[in-house]
Amino acid sequence: MTLPAEVREKLAELELELSEGDITQKGYEKKRGKLLAPYIPQIQGVDPSLQIDNRIQGSSQAVLPGSKHNKSRAPNTRDERFRSDLHTEAVQAALAKYKERKMPMPSKRRSVLVQSSVEACTPPDTSSASEDEGSLRRQGRLATSTPYQGHSHPAVEHWFNRVIQGSSVTTTNTTAHAAFNVNAAATALADFMAHTQLGVPVNSRVSSKIQQLLNTLKRPKRPPLREFFVDDFEELLDVQQPDPNQPKPEGLQMSPLAGEPLGVVTNWPPSLPAALQRWGTTQPKSPCLTALDNAGKPVYTLTYGKLWTRSQKLAYTLLNKLSTRNEPLLMPGDRVALVFPNNDPVMFMVAFYGCLLAELVPVPIEVPLTRKDAGSQQIGFLLGSCGVTLALTTDACQKGLPKAQTGEVATFKGWPRLLWFVIDGKHVVKPPKDWHPPIREASNDIAYIEYKTSKEGSTMGITVSHSAMLAHCHALTQACGYTEGETITNVLDFKREAGLWHGVLTSVMNRMHVISIPYSLMKVNPLSWIQKVHTYKARVAVVKSRDMHWSLLAQRDQRDISLSSLRMLIVADGANPWSISSCDAFLNVFQARGLRPEVICPCASSSEAMTVAIRRPPEMGVPPPGKAVLSMGGLSHSVIRVDTEEKLSVLTVQDVGQVMPGAVVCVVRVEGTPYLCQTDEVGEICLSSGSTGVAYYGLPGMTKSNFETIPVTSSGVPISDRPFIRTSLLGFVGPDSLVFVVGKMDGLMVVSGRRHNADDVVATALAVEPMKFVYRGRIAVFSVSVLRDERIVVVAEQRPDASEEDSFQWMSRVLQAIDSIHQVGVYCLALVPANTLPKAPLGGIHISETKQRFLEGSLHPCNVLMCPHTCVTNLPKPRQKQPEVGPASMIVGNLVAGKRIAQACGRDVAQLEDNDQFLYIQDVLQWRAQATPDHPLFLVLNAKGTVASTASCLQLHKRAERVAAALMGRLNTGDHVALVYPPGIDLIATFYGCLYAGCVPVTVRPPHPQNLATTLPTVKMIVEVSKSVCVLTTQAIMKLLKSKEAAAAVDIKSWPMVLDTDDLPRKKSPQMYKPPTPEMLAYLDFSVSTTGILAGVKMSHAATSALCRSIKLQCELYPSRQIAICLDPYCGLGFALWCLCSVYSGHQSILVPPLELETNASLWLSAVSQYKVRVTFCSYSVMEMCTKGLGSQTEALRLRNVNLSCVRTCMVVAEERPRITLTQSFSKIFKDLGLSPRAVSTTFGCRVNVAICLQGTAGPDPTTVYVDMRALRHDRVRLVERGSPHSLPLMESGKILPGVKVIIANTETKGPLGDSHLGEVSHTTSTSLVIYLICLFSASHFLSSPTFVLFFPMLTSCSPAMFFFFLDLSHCPFFSAPFFPPVRFSLGQTSSWWLWSWRDLSRRPWTWWPWSQTLSWRSTTSL
């Protein structure tokens, strides 16, 4: 049987589409089935009983009659997801070329009746098979049932007849089943034609080439195994050798130090609730706690009787009156959050003991004041991991919490959904007389969970058992000599650590009276705690060295103060290096007022081990306090060397007393196996006791490493069977069994092999005239990783009245002091405005959050001093030239290139459609207003998800006419007009109104009303640089531009003419402006880079039309389409998609302003689901906002019927390398809402060409490859497998747009590079290029010239002389720092800029600059 010529030609077209990836396998089979359907009934005479046995085993076999796809699709309906009318145009053009050359059409199919050479030579890849491999294997299965014997093939004819007959005589099935049988027969017919040469030529070169490339990408050559285990550290960096003269420990191995045994108390309560019950019933009127207001006046005194009865009421209410669906909300052992402010210790104490009586586990946390509190998200993660569902608080505290629109407490970022319960008197119920809380003996069950923030900023929960809590109270009572009825003044946070241990737990155990001093009172009156000691004749005070320092500043105002009643002044942070100076200064001032020297008792503690050591009061007969003067140089090598105080580089530390009763202490080495230290060696203090924390809640791995340490001797023998707990304290055991602490693990910084403590550096900086320049002594010291080593960063808050010159002098002196005392260089010293560093709950600096902001570039310092030359000493070695250059290669700079040039271009622009006949975008709008006046073009949504405004073709045209009529009488042709509008229809209408009037529009982001000082100068700069003669805006923004607040930021009198377009008259413009040539200027595209540089691009009418045409072809945009856009509409591809493409292509754009997502994070996804959008565009910031804000709300979104299964393509618009981690997280999180993991793709563009690569809607899925980072250093691209050492994942940035050509070029010679190295992974099909963005860097010293990857895009109607580059600062050894030296860029003789780049690269880690052939690069060598 011979098919007609036109059918064979169409079959060949389908084969070409399939071979080029322009159609899916499923679509190919459907179209082929339709072509062959009329010829199937012509063959008869086959037994119907054979139809099942001989059905083809092709791809149609996957579509069985019982599958879910058969239930909804009619037999002849097209799959709308893969509809692509635009591909027909490309196929027609390809066919015309083939006809001109008179060449046979290529076919993807190969004869399966004989084994192909590719199949014979290429081993099978079972890891991941593509459609092409699958088709070949399916044909291989077919060959097993059709043996081929020479050129006569009766068996083939018999098989052919059986398959056709078997597919056509089945009439009892449903219509859908019959349709799929027809498709199966059509598949068999086409395969038979291709394999028996019934008229379709066969060309195997395309298939073999694609198959070879697939094998290359999927199974790259494995490097030798030894290369996986050779670290390139020594290859790239100079490794500093240890100093042979550095001090080393010389003492003997230390012995574990045991504290005195715990005494036996005959009348000791069996548990803490039992102690409360005793005092509440026997001493009900005895005072327990006195709370003060912000004026220092007593507000309420809680007696032990009141504490007992109120705790009983709360316990009964929690267990019996809270329920959900007739089931108790809480069961014994459940965790409950305690959210109480620091000025309400009474309600916290009631809640804490109420939970203990109810056998619940309290989890005290800080009150979240805003949704952006430092560390608030980590607290939420802790609550989620603990399974907390209920939060206890007070009525006043709940009213102060942020509220949602419904009036309920807002869900904080990262927090689980909580039920808030107010424990004030009217909300709790009095228990019946026969109900009594269970009072049991102390057990190993969890009593409470205390949170701790690590050095990296993560929050962990430390569990404390009932027995450990009781033992700790016993040890503190014995060590401090507490007696019944004593009065204690507590300045610390009563929710955690020493404030909780002394002021809430041990005080109740001993029936003590606690005077709680709130932090808010200390800020107003630093002497308040001393006054209360004097007033209440307190015997004990628990403070920090900070409180002692503040009291020194205000002590002159008080004369009649006596501290003679104090027998213990517990300094909770006595381990800090500056505590000794505060203690000495405090003693010198207040010794004349009754303070005895032996009263000051510093202690050392940690959240895990609780109290480690404390100096005993003098009446307990302990040795006198000790003081050690240690060499800083020796401490940096973990060696103890006693020095004299006359030297500068010494550290004076005081002892923290003796080990706690019943505890054993040893000192082990910080890294590696916990070997015991020598007697003159500094290590980490470990503690073994029954009064410590038990574990990190839900973290068994970290628990084992921290809570179950087994110290060993130098010979490897364990010193004890009992596990020890790492305390995170660095110290040693001195004479008289005194414990000395010299630092903490959280503040440890290892720079060039030497250890430095952040607290020591802070103390040094504070010693350099802190009162004149540092605001309230707020200094943060931390380290950042640069060139595989830690570098020290100092950030301080500057006083508002400090001048810039004085601040720099102070900074210089601080650098000198740190260098001379610590012998270490400071990488960066930054001063920020007062009250801008993130705060901890009690007012201190949140170190981890400060470090995160520094790395993100969001600190915004007012004075910066960079000294990289003093601290970075392991610079990269110079790059080696490549050896063994053969005669067939060409050398381009240091790069050896192959013969083929690394270049590619997008497919040719298809033949013109109706709107393509217009050369100007404004003509397209006029044509659409006449042809389809009521067709909707734009739909803008507000934060509530409702439609804010719409515009059809005619409506947009009419509004643009009114704008043009208003401009024609005032402006001349060619004048520049600034459009300052919020995202919406007004911006689009005024843009086309300017084009109607012959003006050049310039879109400008409006200033932020709450941040005029920063945003308004940018608006003014764009208006001035663009030479705009008029500003079009709304009434509200016009008032803002001329307000008093704006006058403080800019000169409001220098604004050009400002016109309000809110109420323009309905007046038609006399005549539309017609540009004389398409090369005339259409609009200006201005944007401000991350380095603060204002860059503008001139866009002609021809370039605008070409850009729209390319996007239309790539995305398959039609008037029947709807797309959702969540981008800023002011520059780049965001502006093109927002304002241009809908008018050009006629599709409806659903516009979602990104600013609205700050109010409603689910707005974009809800809009996509509501309108069933198939194509949507967003930015990385939008994707990150959805990932972080909605990550825990997918179930709630699903219940609101948010379904993302309709999304076929979600494209991220950016000018950077694809963020693989973010896109993968986005896909995984919203997979439960139906989002396909293959839907997310990326685009790629720059300032000069806003769109170069775009994934499109019908292209194959974006691919990811892994390259060797060591090869990148030498300008090579070597593919490695996933998970290989030194591998860098690179995700495809998209397919090149139609009409775009790309060349990879060398930066020095401007010559093209060969694809044998850099282009090795480029080609995926014969006409498209996959671009992977790679940063290549070469540095022999700080200011060496980098090597970049350049592209020469030649978009239609754009100047081919323009090209651009990109630079990834985060991967360059020196530029990975938050700063880089000032760089001067000179554009010919016209202009030059000095760039001081504060790295604001958390959102855009790639920086772009336009570049021309006359551009020169120079770097300064000093600051």
Side-chain angles (χ1 to χ4, degrees):
M1 183 188 72
T2 302
L3 296 175
E6 61 273 10
V7 176
R8 289 183 295 170
E9 185 174 336
K10 291 182 179 178
L11 287 174
E13 294 176 14
L14 288 177
E15 294 286 346
L16 177 61
E17 286 190 24
L18 183 63
S19 66
E20 293 183 349
D22 292 337
I23 191 173
T24 62
Q25 181 75 25
K26 195 171 184 180
Y28 166 79
E29 292 168 356
K30 284 195 171 185
K31 289 187 176 181
R32 187 174 56 176
K34 289 183 179 180
L35 288 175
L36 298 178
Y39 307 99
I40 291 175
Q42 297 177 8
I43 304 174
Q44 302 290 338
V46 178
D47 186 1
S49 64
L50 299 176
Q51 59 182 348
I52 298 178
D53 296 334
N54 297 286
R55 189 170 298 165
I56 184 172
Q57 299 181 14
S59 61
S60 60
Q61 188 184 24
V63 187
L64 296 176
S67 65
K68 61 181 180 179
H69 297 287
N70 291 341
K71 298 178 181 180
S72 58
R73 295 186 184 175
N76 294 321
T77 57
R78 281 184 80 176
D79 191 342
E80 290 297 325
R81 295 179 303 155
F82 300 101
R83 181 177 179 178
S84 179
D85 294 338
L86 284 178
H87 292 316
T88 307
E89 305 169 3
V91 171
Q92 294 292 343
L95 287 174
K97 288 186 178 180
Y98 277 109
K99 289 181 180 179
E100 292 175 1
R101 299 175 185 174
K102 298 182 180 180
M103 295 175 61
M105 293 296 299
S107 172
K108 183 144 181 119
R109 303 294 184 198
R110 293 214 43 191
S111 176
V112 296
L113 304 180
V114 292
Q115 188 178 17
S116 67
S117 59
V118 176
E119 293 170 347
C121 301
T122 305
D125 185 3
T126 59
S127 59
S128 57
S130 64
E131 286 185 0
D132 307 316
E133 295 171 308
S135 63
L136 289 172
R137 289 170 186 156
R138 286 190 291 269
Q139 296 160 14
R141 298 190 200 106
L142 184 64
T144 59
S145 62
T146 58
Y148 179 65
Q149 306 284 343
H151 291 283
S152 61
H153 38 267
V156 173
E157 292 185 74
H158 176 64
W159 168 85
F160 179 82
N161 292 333
R162 288 168 58 192
V163 171
I164 298 300
Q165 181 66 19
S167 300
S168 59
V169 299
T170 304
T171 58
T172 59
N173 291 341
T174 62
T175 307
H177 296 174
F180 283 108
N181 289 337
V182 171
N183 286 341
T187 304
L189 177 61
D191 281 339
F192 176 77
M193 287 168 34
H195 303 147
T196 54
Q197 308 216 0
L198 295 180
V200 180
V202 177
N203 189 340
S204 64
R205 287 180 296 176
V206 175
S207 295
S208 62
K209 181 178 179 181
I210 294 178
Q211 185 67 41
Q212 184 178 5
L213 179 63
L214 283 172
N215 292 335
T216 302
L217 290 178
K218 291 178 179 298
R219 296 186 296 104
K221 295 181 180 179
R222 295 175 180 266
L225 190 61
R226 60 179 180 83
E227 293 191 16
F228 282 142
F229 302 97
V230 177
D231 194 1
D232 62 343
F233 184 86
E234 295 185 0
E235 296 179 12
L236 301 181
L237 305 177
D238 286 333
V239 180
Q240 293 183 342
Q241 301 298 327
D243 185 4
N245 299 322
Q246 71 182 30
K248 298 180 180 179
E250 301 171 355
L252 300 176
Q253 180 176 284
M254 74 156 296
S255 299
L257 178 63
E260 71 267 23
L262 272 175
V264 179
V265 183
T266 57
N267 199 22
W268 193 254
S271 65
L272 200 59
L276 175 61
Q277 183 185 32
R278 173 195 294 181
W279 305 129
T281 55
T282 62
Q283 301 284 343
K285 295 184 179 180
S286 179
C288 174
L289 176 69
T290 297
L292 307 178
D293 60 10
N294 291 339
K297 297 180 180 179
V299 177
Y300 183 79
T301 297
L302 179 69
T303 63
Y304 279 93
K306 284 289 185 180
L307 177 60
W308 168 246
T309 56
R310 295 175 67 175
S311 300
Q312 272 188 306
K313 289 181 181 180
L314 179 60
Y316 176 77
T317 304
L318 293 177
L319 292 179
N320 300 280
K321 296 302 180 181
L322 298 182
S323 62
T324 55
R325 299 177 182 176
N326 296 326
E327 294 183 1
L329 179 65
L330 298 173
M331 300 294 291
D334 288 348
R335 276 72 59 196
V336 177
L338 306 188
V339 187
F340 294 90
N342 292 311
N343 59 358
D344 197 352
V346 173
M347 299 307 294
F348 172 82
M349 208 165 187
V350 171
F352 188 89
Y353 282 98
C355 290
L356 292 185
L357 292 178
E359 296 184 333
L360 302 174
V361 179
V363 185
I365 60 173
E366 305 299 335
V367 178
L369 300 179
T370 65
R371 295 190 179 187
K372 298 181 179 180
D373 279 359
S376 175
Q377 185 174 2
Q378 292 295 328
I379 292 291
F381 292 157
L382 171 64
L383 297 180
S385 63
C386 292
V388 175
T389 58
L390 180 70
L392 304 182
T393 186
T394 62
D395 186 55
C397 181
Q398 188 190 33
K399 291 180 180 178
L401 294 174
K403 299 296 190 299
Q405 295 179 352
T406 59
E408 299 178 352
V409 178
T411 301
F412 299 95
K413 189 175 183 181
W415 284 41
R417 186 174 296 277
L418 298 178
L419 174 64
W420 294 83
F421 181 70
V422 175
I423 67 168
D424 292 350
K426 59 183 179 181
H427 297 93
V428 294
V429 181
K430 185 177 180 179
K433 293 182 179 181
D434 58 347
W435 185 89
H436 301 284
I439 305 296
R440 298 184 174 89
E441 292 187 2
S443 64
N444 292 327
D445 294 337
I446 300 177
Y448 68 94
I449 298 177
E450 180 177 318
Y451 78 90
K452 175 197 174 181
T453 302
S454 67
K455 180 180 180 180
E456 293 77 19
S458 59
T459 300
M460 300 167 290
I462 299 171
T463 61
V464 179
S465 65
H466 286 273
S467 58
M469 180 173 62
L470 181 67
H472 190 229
C473 292
H474 189 179
L476 283 179
T477 301
Q478 180 174 330
C480 300
Y482 287 145
T483 58
E484 293 183 14
E486 272 192 320
T487 302
I488 178 174
T489 301
N490 180 28
V491 190
L492 308 184
D493 183 7
F494 50 78
K495 294 189 290 297
R496 58 194 302 265
E497 294 186 343
L500 175 68
W501 305 330
H502 291 268
V504 176
L505 304 180
T506 309
S507 62
V508 172
M509 184 65 70
N510 295 280
R511 194 176 61 81
M512 300 170 67
H513 181 199
V514 180
I515 313 299
S516 183
I517 312 295
Y519 173 70
S520 56
L521 174 59
M522 287 293 295
K523 290 195 297 183
V524 177
N525 181 13
L527 272 178
S528 57
W529 70 274
I530 298 178
Q531 295 169 353
K532 299 310 170 186
V533 168
H534 171 77
T535 303
Y536 290 91
K537 304 299 179 183
R539 301 279 292 161
V540 181
V542 186
V543 299
K544 285 188 175 182
S545 56
R546 171 197 63 189
D547 307 317
M548 303 168 69
H549 177 74
W550 283 2
S551 62
L552 293 175
L553 303 179
Q555 56 88 19
R556 298 177 183 177
D557 300 335
Q558 299 291 332
R559 300 184 182 275
D560 52 348
I561 290 179
S562 175
L563 299 180
S564 58
S565 63
L566 279 179
R567 67 174 186 86
M568 281 193 78
L569 178 59
I570 301 176
V571 184
D573 60 343
N576 287 335
W578 61 77
S579 64
I580 185 172
S581 60
S582 298
C583 293
D584 291 346
F586 186 82
L587 178 62
N588 292 335
V589 172
F590 288 95
Q591 190 170 6
R593 302 184 184 183
L595 181 67
R596 292 169 292 162
E598 62 271 13
V599 165
I600 299 178
C601 299
C603 71
S605 62
S606 70
S607 300
E608 294 87 351
M610 297 200 270
T611 306
V612 178
I614 187 171
R615 188 185 294 176
R616 307 296 196 265
E619 61 268 15
M620 303 187 69
V622 295
K627 183 183 296 186
V629 181
L630 307 177
S631 168
M632 295 288 292
L635 289 177
S636 66
H637 295 287
S638 300
V639 177
I640 302 170
R641 292 293 182 264
V642 179
D643 216 322
T644 59
E645 293 188 7
E646 288 76 16
K647 293 186 178 181
L648 293 176
S649 57
V650 295
L651 176 67
T652 304
V653 294
Q654 61 181 347
D655 72 283
V656 291
Q658 291 78 23
V659 181
M660 290 292 291
V664 179
V665 161
C666 66
V667 182
V668 301
R669 293 177 182 173
V670 174
E671 299 173 352
T673 305
Y675 289 106
L676 287 179
C677 290
Q678 295 169 252
T679 53
D680 60 342
E681 185 178 4
V682 174
E684 185 176 6
I685 298 174
C686 293
L687 179 74
S688 178
S689 172
S691 58
T692 62
V694 177
Y696 292 124
Y697 189 90
L699 301 173
M702 296 184 63
T703 298
K704 185 174 181 60
S705 61
N706 278 32
F707 287 85
E708 302 176 11
T709 300
I710 305 294
V712 296
T713 62
S714 57
S715 58
V717 179
I719 65 172
S720 173
D721 295 336
R722 296 176 56 186
F724 282 70
I725 297 177
R726 291 182 177 269
T727 63
S728 300
L729 300 175
L730 301 175
F732 60 95
V733 177
D736 296 328
S737 299
L738 296 177
V739 179
F740 289 83
V741 177
V742 297
K744 297 181 180 180
M745 289 293 295
D746 287 346
L748 187 64
M749 302 177 294
V750 183
V751 181
S752 300
R754 299 176 58 196
R755 293 183 172 91
H756 303 274
N757 199 273
D759 293 333
D760 298 339
V761 180
V762 171
T764 302
L766 285 174
V768 185
E769 299 180 301
M771 304 305 297
K772 292 184 179 180
F773 303 101
V774 181
Y775 181 72
R776 292 190 174 182
R778 293 174 58 82
I779 297 180
V781 174
F782 51 87
S783 62
V784 295
S785 180
V786 178
L787 279 180
R788 297 196 179 189
D789 202 356
E790 294 186 43
R791 316 295 177 188
I792 297 178
V793 177
V794 180
V795 181
E797 289 188 359
Q798 177 180 288
R799 291 178 61 90
D801 54 349
S803 64
E804 182 176 349
E805 182 178 355
D806 293 341
S807 297
F808 269 104
Q809 290 181 0
W810 178 82
M811 294 164 72
S812 301
R813 288 196 294 270
V814 169
L815 295 179
Q816 295 171 5
I818 295 176
D819 181 66
S820 59
I821 294 176
H822 303 274
Q823 288 86 43
V824 65
V826 175
Y827 179 69
C828 172
L829 200 162
L831 294 181
V832 299
N835 287 321
T836 56
L837 290 180
K839 295 181 180 180
L842 287 183
I845 299 177
H846 202 288
I847 302 296
S848 59
E849 185 72 16
T850 302
K851 178 179 178 179
Q852 184 65 28
R853 293 188 185 183
F854 176 83
L855 295 175
E856 293 176 352
S858 56
L859 275 182
H860 307 297
C862 48
N863 290 299
V864 177
L865 196 56
M866 292 288 299
C867 301
H869 56 283
T870 64
C871 63
V872 181
T873 55
N874 58 334
L875 296 177
K877 297 178 181 179
R879 181 168 47 185
Q880 302 295 327
K881 290 189 176 181
Q882 297 297 323
E884 300 179 1
V885 178
S889 302
M890 59 180 180
I891 301 178
V892 184
N894 291 333
L895 182 67
V896 181
K899 294 181 179 180
R900 292 185 299 175
I901 301 300
Q903 63 179 357
C905 58
R907 58 191 175 96
D908 294 335
V909 179
Q911 60 186 358
L912 297 179
E913 295 184 358
D914 293 336
N915 60 322
D916 293 331
Q917 60 184 323
F918 301 106
L919 299 176
Y920 308 100
I921 188 72
Q922 61 268 30
D923 292 347
V924 179
L925 177 58
Q926 297 178 39
W927 170 70
R928 291 197 182 279
Q930 297 176 0
T932 55
D934 298 328
H935 178 69
L937 283 181
F938 298 102
L939 185 148
V940 182
L941 301 180
N942 56 21
K944 297 180 180 180
T946 58
V947 178
S949 58
T950 60
S952 64
C953 297
L954 184 60
Q955 290 172 345
L956 183 62
H957 171 67
K958 293 294 185 182
R959 294 178 66 173
E961 276 189 335
R962 291 200 294 269
V963 174
L967 294 178
M968 282 186 173
R970 296 180 173 92
L971 304 180
N972 299 321
T973 300
D975 284 346
H976 295 185
V977 179
L979 311 181
V980 186
Y981 288 92
I985 304 297
D986 290 339
L987 176 68
I988 306 171
T990 52
F991 175 82
Y992 286 98
C994 291
L995 297 183
Y996 283 178
C999 299
V1000 178
V1002 183
T1003 54
V1004 185
R1005 185 192 305 272
H1008 198 285
Q1010 277 74 41
N1011 194 14
L1012 284 179
T1014 303
T1015 57
L1016 189 58
T1018 303
V1019 176
K1020 187 66 179 297
M1021 180 171 57
I1022 296 178
V1023 172
E1024 292 177 350
V1025 173
S1026 64
K1027 300 180 181 179
S1028 298
V1029 299
C1030 179
V1031 176
L1032 297 183
T1033 185
T1034 62
Q1035 288 183 358
I1037 296 179
M1038 184 172 69
K1039 293 179 181 178
L1040 188 64
L1041 296 178
K1042 298 182 178 181
S1043 62
K1044 294 181 180 180
E1045 293 80 4
V1050 298
D1051 182 11
I1052 61 176
K1053 296 182 180 179
S1054 60
W1055 286 112
M1057 177 175 54
V1058 181
L1059 295 180
D1060 158 32
T1061 60
D1062 284 350
D1063 299 317
L1064 291 178
R1066 297 182 178 275
K1067 181 180 178 183
K1068 184 176 181 182
S1069 57
Q1071 185 178 1
M1072 299 296 179
Y1073 172 75
K1074 187 75 172 179
T1077 170
E1079 302 302 328
M1080 292 287 291
L1081 188 60
Y1083 68 94
L1084 294 179
D1085 190 333
F1086 269 92
S1087 69
V1088 179
S1089 69
T1090 55
T1091 56
I1093 296 179
L1094 179 64
V1097 176
K1098 296 180 179 180
M1099 290 294 292
S1100 66
H1101 289 277
T1104 303
S1105 300
L1107 172 65
C1108 295
R1109 185 182 303 114
S1110 296
I1111 296 176
K1112 173 186 176 181
L1113 294 175
Q1114 193 81 344
C1115 299
E1116 302 182 12
L1117 302 177
Y1118 306 105
S1120 59
R1121 285 283 177 89
Q1122 274 187 330
I1123 68 172
I1125 303 172
C1126 191
L1127 296 167
D1128 281 328
Y1130 299 106
C1131 61
L1133 188 56
F1135 168 78
L1137 292 170
W1138 190 289
C1139 297
L1140 302 178
C1141 291
S1142 284
V1143 172
Y1144 187 88
S1145 304
H1147 61 272
Q1148 183 182 13
S1149 292
I1150 301 170
L1151 308 178
V1152 182
L1155 192 62
E1156 303 290 355
L1157 266 67
E1158 296 182 2
T1159 307
N1160 181 7
S1162 63
L1163 174 61
W1164 170 51
L1165 298 181
S1166 300
V1168 170
S1169 172
Q1170 177 183 354
Y1171 293 95
K1172 300 188 183 305
V1173 174
R1174 297 171 59 192
V1175 180
T1176 180
F1177 294 86
C1178 69
S1179 61
Y1180 280 122
S1181 59
V1182 170
M1183 183 171 286
E1184 187 174 14
M1185 196 180 306
C1186 293
T1187 302
K1188 293 182 178 180
L1190 303 176
S1192 60
Q1193 303 180 24
T1194 53
E1195 183 63 23
L1197 293 175
R1198 190 179 62 81
L1199 295 177
R1200 287 163 46 189
N1201 297 323
V1202 175
N1203 188 356
L1204 303 180
S1205 60
C1206 57
V1207 178
R1208 181 178 171 188
T1209 304
C1210 173
M1211 281 177 273
V1212 188
V1213 176
E1215 299 178 358
E1216 58 180 276
R1217 186 176 67 192
R1219 302 188 193 177
I1220 299 179
T1221 304
L1222 178 58
T1223 54
Q1224 289 178 349
S1225 301
F1226 181 82
S1227 300
K1228 290 180 181 178
I1229 288 176
F1230 299 105
K1231 177 182 65 175
D1232 297 337
L1233 300 181
L1235 180 66
S1236 171
R1238 301 178 298 176
V1240 180
S1241 59
T1242 60
T1243 66
F1244 171 52
C1246 69
R1247 292 298 304 122
V1248 178
N1249 295 121
V1250 296
I1252 297 173
C1253 295
L1254 197 147
Q1255 191 64 28
T1257 55
D1261 299 330
T1263 58
T1264 301
V1265 296
Y1266 296 83
V1267 297
D1268 192 341
M1269 289 190 292
R1270 295 174 298 178
L1272 291 183
R1273 174 171 167 77
H1274 300 289
D1275 292 352
R1276 295 293 189 275
V1277 175
R1278 183 173 67 170
L1279 292 179
V1280 294
E1281 294 185 353
R1282 180 181 181 181
S1284 301
H1286 315 289
S1287 61
L1288 173 70
L1290 297 176
M1291 180 180 174
E1292 174 187 346
S1293 295
K1295 302 299 183 294
I1296 297 181
L1297 284 172
V1300 178
K1301 183 178 181 182
V1302 173
I1303 300 177
I1304 312 296
N1306 183 272
T1307 53
E1308 299 176 357
T1309 64
K1310 309 297 187 293
L1313 300 181
D1315 65 353
S1316 61
H1317 292 83
L1318 294 179
E1320 194 174 33
V1321 296
S1322 299
H1323 294 275
T1324 55
T1325 65
S1326 58
T1327 59
S1328 63
L1329 172 70
V1330 182
I1331 293 184
Y1332 299 90
L1333 305 186
I1334 308 167
C1335 173
L1336 307 177
F1337 184 82
S1338 168
S1340 57
H1341 52 85
F1342 268 118
L1343 304 173
S1344 60
S1345 176
T1347 301
F1348 311 96
V1349 177
L1350 280 80
F1351 298 90
F1352 287 74
M1354 287 178 281
L1355 190 62
T1356 306
S1357 304
C1358 289
S1359 172
M1362 297 298 293
F1363 60 96
F1364 63 94
F1365 74 93
F1366 60 88
L1367 164 63
D1368 184 358
L1369 299 181
S1370 63
H1371 288 80
C1372 299
F1374 173 62
F1375 294 142
S1376 61
F1379 300 87
F1380 62 87
V1383 179
R1384 185 181 184 185
F1385 289 89
S1386 302
L1387 288 170
Q1389 303 297 326
T1390 58
S1391 62
S1392 63
W1393 299 304
W1394 285 89
L1395 307 184
W1396 286 82
S1397 176
W1398 168 246
R1399 180 186 173 197
D1400 201 355
L1401 301 177
S1402 60
R1403 299 192 180 113
R1404 296 178 59 192
W1406 296 75
T1407 306
W1408 300 84
W1409 291 281
W1411 186 287
S1412 71
Q1413 292 184 354
T1414 59
L1415 181 62
S1416 61
W1417 146 289
R1418 292 191 299 275
S1419 299
T1420 60
T1421 57
S1422 65
L1423 295 174

